Amino acid sequence: MTDKIDNTQFDRLQTGVPGLDEILCGGLLPQAVYIVQGGPGEGKTILANQFCYYRAKLGERALYVTLLAETHNRLLRHLRKMDFMADTGDQQSVFYGSAFDTLRQDGLEGVLRFLMRNAKSHDVSTIVVDGLFALEESAETERSFREFINDLAAFADISGSTVLLLTNSERSTGSPEFTMVDGWIELNSGELECRSFRYIRVHKLRGSGFVAGRHMTRINQQGFHVYPRLESVAGDARAVAMREERVSSGVPSLDELIEGGFPYSSSTALVGPTGIGKTSLGLAFICQSTVEEPGLLFGFYEDSIRLERRAAALGLDLASLLESGAVEILNYPPTEQIVDHLAEDMLHAVRRRGVKRLFVDGVDGFRQAAVYPLRTGRFLSALISCLRADGVTTVFTAELPELMGGENAMQFTAISAVAENILLLRYAELDATLHRTLAVMKMRESSFAPYVFEFHIGQDGFQIDSRMSGTEGVISGLPHRQGRGENTDG
């Protein structure tokens, strides 16, 4: 005799944990048992309670059972500081119980009866068992522990309950609890030099795909937050249909060099050493925003007050654009940020206001925020793909490591790989005079003036001057007048 196969398609259970459902491809599957593993302080209790209270807000009931000696009053005293518990009315739908004494007196069978009895009396759809390692330690044999997990899975299926088992056990991946449950989620943390970081990994989700690998997490006043790796969840965003229209750079003399402006929904890198004028050119671009086609200035090094002052010195009225809502500024100090959090905030701001112009001042801030800098190229590629899909024309600044020349001055492969257009701004010392120069290095699907131009920055803003003549080596960082020979050392 064979069991009849149930082909019913279950809806996913949203967890209420931001970002978690995304790496679970929609949420948890109901009528299943999941292990949430992590050491002390990794956030297991916060995540599980956040799930319970979110399901309570949807009109369901949850049972939270501890197998530890810690009292519920002590547990709740700390959790009440979290925003997800702000609505105290939901606490009437989340029931707490202790099976600590039951485990000591009646063993695993007694705990199973405790769960079945309380789940039925409270009519719950979610059960959390906090302290699975206590059951492991109390099991007389490995077989009895496997039987408990098997019986719990059968109970979850029959009763329609979703069960989370919390444990700080560090048993091997071949341990029976991991092979028998429907899902296995790990919470962990690491250190890189002086920096600590948290992350989550999904090892198993039976009958479903999931986004593998490490995803950074954070615990704060709002609760537990997961930041999926952008390149793993958004790298295949489809771009909007290309338009023939051009987006003005904000500098008419520059627009003349690039057929009227930047191509629509393209990405442009302003590359050059510090102080050359990259931010000034970016401000000219963002100050062309309107209420109908708003802009976003996303930066790492200068706050809104400094940017308003700089814009005013260039004859740009950034303050009025901010007041009208045509432009918004988001500033993040380049400290210990989470790179995927930055992307999440940026994309949220873009979609919230329908942003059409984006100026990212200091793209290197993303690399500094990355725990794993080697993923910066893939991350930026995914980010640009998302922006292009939203019809955003993006301009970003990228720092050259040296003011003049040098072997490393032109090495910006991660930037050039994602930038469709590249404008190179350089200093050139000629006849004991410092010149600012600009050259269009790359303009995808568009022609441009293939010359080196001087420019100046003043009260009339960023202005392109005449084409340089009688000069060589400006792009390489070793400028010299034609006919005077090559530069020599000494």
Side-chain angles (χ1 to χ4, degrees):
M1 181 177 178
T2 59
D3 294 332
K4 183 179 179 180
I5 298 176
D6 185 1
N7 291 318
T8 303
Q9 296 297 315
F10 293 111
D11 292 331
R12 297 277 184 158
L13 291 177
Q14 295 182 337
T15 63
V17 177
L20 179 56
D21 293 340
E22 197 167 2
I23 65 174
L24 294 175
C25 296
L28 297 173
L29 292 169
Q31 299 179 215
V33 179
Y34 300 90
I35 285 181
V36 179
Q37 178 190 18
E42 301 293 0
K44 302 183 299 298
T45 301
I46 293 175
L47 184 148
N49 276 274
Q50 196 167 336
F51 176 50
C52 289
Y53 280 89
Y54 179 76
R55 300 311 302 177
K57 283 180 169 62
L58 299 180
E60 300 179 9
R61 295 184 171 194
L63 173 64
Y64 194 102
V65 177
T66 60
L67 297 171
L68 310 173
E70 183 180 33
T71 66
H72 297 139
N73 287 336
R74 182 180 176 85
L75 171 69
L76 292 172
R77 185 164 61 248
H78 297 290
L79 287 176
R80 286 194 181 98
K81 301 175 183 178
M82 300 288 179
D83 287 353
F84 64 81
M85 288 190 66
D87 186 358
T88 56
D90 293 325
Q91 294 185 22
Q92 299 175 4
S93 299
V94 181
F95 304 94
Y96 291 86
S98 173
F100 178 72
D101 291 334
T102 301
L103 178 61
R104 288 197 304 176
Q105 297 173 10
D106 302 322
L108 273 60
E109 293 184 3
V111 171
L112 184 62
R113 291 193 298 269
F114 179 94
L115 295 175
M116 296 172 64
R117 182 172 63 253
N118 282 274
K120 181 177 180 180
S121 63
H122 294 301
D123 189 25
V124 301
S125 58
T126 298
I127 302 173
V128 175
V129 180
D130 192 350
L132 180 63
F133 70 92
L135 292 172
E136 299 173 16
E137 295 173 350
S138 299
E140 296 181 357
T141 64
E142 196 74 34
R143 178 177 179 178
S144 63
F145 184 63
R146 289 198 302 268
E147 290 175 348
F148 173 84
I149 298 294
N150 182 72
D151 292 342
L152 186 61
F155 167 68
D157 186 50
I158 294 172
S159 65
S161 301
T162 301
V163 181
L164 301 186
L165 303 174
L166 313 186
T167 182
N168 60 9
S169 172
E170 296 183 357
R171 287 155 65 93
S172 67
T173 57
S175 298
E177 62 266 35
F178 297 125
T179 59
M180 299 175 67
V181 296
D182 300 288
W184 172 18
I185 300 171
E186 176 195 4
L187 310 183
N188 215 324
S189 60
E191 291 188 358
L192 181 64
E193 297 179 345
C194 298
R195 181 178 181 179
S196 297
F197 56 91
R198 299 176 183 270
Y199 63 89
I200 188 171
R201 283 195 298 181
V202 181
H203 292 278
K204 174 182 179 181
L205 195 62
R206 184 173 291 164
S208 171
F210 57 88
V211 184
R214 295 184 178 186
H215 306 275
M216 296 298 119
T217 64
R218 174 174 287 166
I219 299 174
N220 55 23
Q221 184 70 29
Q222 287 73 42
F224 200 97
H225 198 128
V226 178
Y227 299 99
R229 293 192 325 280
L230 184 67
E231 62 270 29
S232 69
V233 296
D236 58 350
R238 299 183 62 181
V240 296
M242 288 299 295
R243 302 180 188 175
E244 295 300 325
E245 68 184 83
R246 292 282 174 148
V247 179
S248 173
S249 67
V251 179
S253 52
L254 174 59
D255 290 344
E256 293 178 6
L257 308 181
I258 53 177
E259 294 193 338
F262 303 124
Y264 171 78
S265 77
S266 66
S267 59
T268 301
L270 309 179
V271 183
T274 182
I276 191 66
K278 302 184 298 298
T279 300
S280 297
L281 180 51
L283 286 171
F285 167 76
I286 204 65
C287 284
Q288 296 298 303
S289 303
T290 64
V291 174
E292 293 74 26
E293 293 194 347
L296 172 65
L297 200 164
F298 194 97
F300 296 94
Y301 303 104
E302 296 186 90
D303 58 28
S304 59
I305 296 177
R306 290 177 177 270
L307 289 169
E308 286 182 43
R309 187 184 303 125
R310 291 190 61 172
L314 299 170
L316 301 171
D317 192 3
L318 178 59
S320 294
L321 293 171
L322 291 170
E323 185 177 355
S324 68
V327 174
E328 179 182 9
I329 295 178
L330 295 180
N331 177 261
Y332 295 82
T335 51
E336 293 189 0
Q337 304 285 352
I338 296 176
V339 66
D340 298 294
H341 181 198
L342 296 173
E344 181 179 288
D345 282 3
M346 174 189 289
L347 293 174
H348 175 71
V350 164
R351 293 160 185 170
R352 170 172 47 85
R353 300 174 57 248
V355 165
K356 295 304 176 185
R357 287 174 178 261
L358 170 65
F359 173 39
V360 182
D361 193 14
V363 73
D364 188 61
F366 290 114
R367 185 193 62 80
Q368 294 182 36
V371 173
Y372 305 104
L374 289 178
R375 54 175 290 236
T376 302
R378 299 189 299 273
F379 167 83
L380 289 175
S381 179
L383 181 60
I384 293 297
S385 178
C386 291
L387 294 169
R388 191 181 299 119
D390 289 332
V392 180
T393 303
T394 304
V395 170
F396 57 88
T397 64
E399 195 85 3
L400 277 181
E402 299 186 22
L403 288 175
M404 304 245 184
E407 296 180 356
N408 299 319
M410 296 299 293
Q411 296 180 6
F412 46 95
T413 54
I415 302 303
S416 60
V418 298
E420 296 165 284
N421 319 309
I422 298 178
L423 273 59
L424 179 64
L425 288 70
R426 301 221 66 165
Y427 291 109
E429 182 190 0
L430 296 167
D431 302 326
T433 302
L434 198 60
H435 301 257
R436 283 187 166 108
T437 69
L438 179 145
V440 181
M441 302 293 294
K442 172 183 175 183
M443 187 67 59
R444 186 167 294 173
E445 300 181 2
S446 172
S447 60
F448 55 88
Y451 309 112
V452 178
F453 295 85
E454 289 194 67
F455 69 89
H456 73 270
I457 301 172
Q459 292 183 347
D460 56 347
F462 189 107
Q463 297 295 329
I464 304 293
D465 297 326
S466 60
R467 167 187 167 186
M468 297 193 78
S469 61
T471 305
E472 294 181 343
V474 174
I475 298 301
S476 64
L478 299 172
H480 58 271
R481 297 296 189 188
Q482 291 176 335
R484 294 190 181 183
E486 299 295 328
N487 288 355
T488 59
D489 295 335

